[in-house]
Amino acid sequence: MRLTKQTGYAIRILTAAARTPDVNVKIADFADELGITKQNALKIVNQMVHAGFIAATRGRSGGIMLALPADQIRIGDVVRAMEVTVVAVAGEAVAPARRRQSAGTAQPSLNGVFDDALEAFIAVLDQHTVADMAASRPAGPAGRSGMAKRPGKARKLPRVRSAVMVAAAVRRARASDAG
């Protein structure tokens, strides 16, 4: 199964936010870190706010942070919130209750087979949390989010949240609390 880039960015934003708990981080910082436009980051964050994964604060000292503890946000839930998780093959009747068998036959329907495959895929993702992802990725410039360049393909890699960016976010949060 292929996930959209937005889902990958959503998981990376949640992972980076998990590394800076209790600190409001600017959406522009995430956009810069991921190498995407601020508008695209806003769209992704808006979907995650509606799903209940992120809490957003408006204003000069605003930003985003996790709305739930990182160990309670399952990757499968993020995929369900960001992706279309219904499979419908053209020419196949859509079963009202996601039945595996076509009506009156012993043959499984094509939609049923794809629904089963999708459920199995997401069941594996449900075994992992944002906290697992945050702990598995090394921080710092050497980590580069664990992704390596493929030979022959020039590709911009997302930056991992640097200590400088974290320190700046903490300073902004402290300045807003003091003032």
Side-chain angles (χ1 to χ4, degrees), residues 45-68:
V45 166
N46 187 36
Q47 283 183 274
M48 291 192 296
V49 167
H50 287 294
F53 302 132
I54 287 181
T57 308
R58 295 178 127 188
R60 200 175 89 186
S61 61
I64 61 171
M65 66 174 62
L66 293 181
L68 301 169

Side-chain angles (χ1 to χ4, degrees), residues 147-171:
M147 296 171 30
K149 280 190 178 181
R150 286 184 243 157
K153 284 208 169 194
R155 182 172 131 158
K156 185 173 182 178
L157 298 174
R159 292 187 337 231
V160 175
R161 187 165 210 63
S162 69
V164 173
M165 290 177 74
V166 172
V170 170
R171 279 194 304 275

Side-chain angles (χ1 to χ4, degrees), residues 23-154:
V23 176
N24 271 340
V25 182
K26 303 279 186 200
I27 294 173
D29 292 343
F30 287 117
D32 290 342
E33 182 177 321
L34 295 172
I36 60 176
T37 65
K38 185 178 173 186
Q39 289 77 18
N40 197 11
L42 283 168
K43 176 182 167 187
I44 294 166
V45 166
N46 187 36
Q47 283 183 274
M48 291 192 296
V49 167
H50 287 294
F53 302 132
I54 287 181
T57 308
R58 295 178 127 188
R60 200 175 89 186
S61 61
I64 61 171
M65 66 174 62
L66 293 181
L68 301 169
D71 61 352
Q72 291 181 12
I73 303 173
R74 297 180 310 180
I75 301 300
D77 291 336
V78 177
V79 171
R80 283 184 198 93
M82 299 298 294
E83 296 283 337
V84 175
T85 54
V86 176
V87 178
V89 177
E92 281 280 312
V94 178
R98 287 178 101 175
R99 288 177 286 175
R100 301 174 100 193
Q101 304 286 325
S102 295
T105 68
Q107 295 287 339
S109 72
L110 191 53
N111 282 335
V113 170
F114 283 121
D115 280 343
D116 289 347
L118 181 61
E119 286 175 21
F121 175 73
I122 292 181
V124 171
L125 296 177
D126 280 337
Q127 297 171 10
H128 304 281
T129 65
V130 170
D132 299 337
M133 300 297 286
S136 70
R137 290 190 175 176
R144 298 302 284 210
S145 33
M147 296 171 30
K149 280 190 178 181
R150 286 184 243 157
K153 284 208 169 194

